[in-house]
Amino acid sequence: MKILVTGFTPFGGETINPSWEAVRALDDSIAGADIIKCEIPTEFEASIDALKAAIDAHQPNAILCVGQFGGSPSIQVERVAINLRDARIPDNAGFQPHDQPVVGSAPDAFFSTIPTRQITDRLRAAGIPAALSYSAGTYVCNNLLYAALYESSQAEKGNSARCGFIHVPYLPDQAAAVSNAPSMSLELMVQALTIAVGTIAECR
């Protein structure tokens, strides 16, 4: 089994993105699955291109995308992606769409196809703050999750990858620059993603 796990480049003036730092620290094999790690540009269009290229190159059985949710006190396991781009700030290419679809003439939303509740329950059981989330926002994170689920929906029956998304909080160094912002250690993020990936690997 192959699981593609993605993290994002820094954005919004940051010099680090905890999503990629945690992803690249994962073991190369988890619960018997080969882990393919890919850094994704924080850009609406280029993120989808990078995802498609990784899917074509590796043909994963499952895809877990990871992004930064600054200000969150916990791991957020996303359940829904909506077909909407509405950016509060420009992406790294300077693109700031408003009221645009991710994919034209496509469904309004897709539900994540990884075991979101089971992942959340296992994270909490391990003492890791975690919550189910019903909105991945309207920025590049939601854009990527929607694209992953859309691509999976277009695959031939039996060849579609299960897809999901997890948001991680700031790292402590990032939070120190933002008054009263919650954070999480890199070690705990890596543990959380390892549990999530392991749970996905079990659901073959």
Side-chain angles (χ1 to χ4, degrees), residues 1 9 32 44 49-51 58 67 113 116 122 129 148 175 193 195 202:
M1 183 179 188
T9 57
F44 283 96
D49 292 341
L51 178 69
H58 301 288
T113 50
T116 53
R122 287 188 176 185
L193 294 185
I195 291 170
E202 291 174 8

Side-chain angles (χ1 to χ4, degrees), residues 112-200:
S112 172
T113 50
I114 63 172
T116 53
R117 187 172 297 279
Q118 188 176 2
I119 289 170
T120 305
D121 289 346
R122 287 188 176 185
L123 293 176
R124 290 172 175 168
I128 301 172
L132 285 170
S133 170
Y134 297 88
S135 173
T138 53
Y139 196 53
V140 183
C141 291
N142 173 78
N143 182 78
L144 190 66
L145 175 57
Y146 187 92
L149 289 164
Y150 177 78
E151 289 298 315
S152 179
S153 75
Q154 301 302 299
E156 293 182 12
K157 189 174 182 180
N159 293 329
S160 60
R162 296 192 303 281
C163 306
F165 196 103
I166 285 178
H167 270 116
V168 297
Y170 281 138
L171 291 166
D173 287 350
Q174 291 177 290
V178 182
S179 178
N180 298 321
S183 66
M184 182 177 287
S185 70
L186 179 61
E187 292 75 16
L188 200 57
M189 290 183 194
V190 173
Q191 183 185 351
L193 294 185
T194 299
I195 291 170
V197 171
T199 305
I200 295 168

Side-chain angles (χ1 to χ4, degrees), residues 86-110:
D86 195 34
R88 178 181 59 84
I89 60 173
D91 68 9
N92 285 354
F95 182 43
Q96 188 175 7
H98 294 295
D99 301 324
Q100 293 183 10
V102 178
V103 180
S105 302
D108 291 337
F110 286 110

Side-chain angles (χ1 to χ4, degrees), residues 19-44:
S19 66
W20 175 240
E21 297 305 312
V23 167
R24 72 176 182 170
L26 289 172
D27 290 340
D28 293 331
S29 178
I30 297 173
D34 294 330
I35 307 305
I36 303 150
K37 306 164 195 178
C38 181
E39 187 177 23
I40 299 289
T42 307
E43 301 175 21
F44 283 96

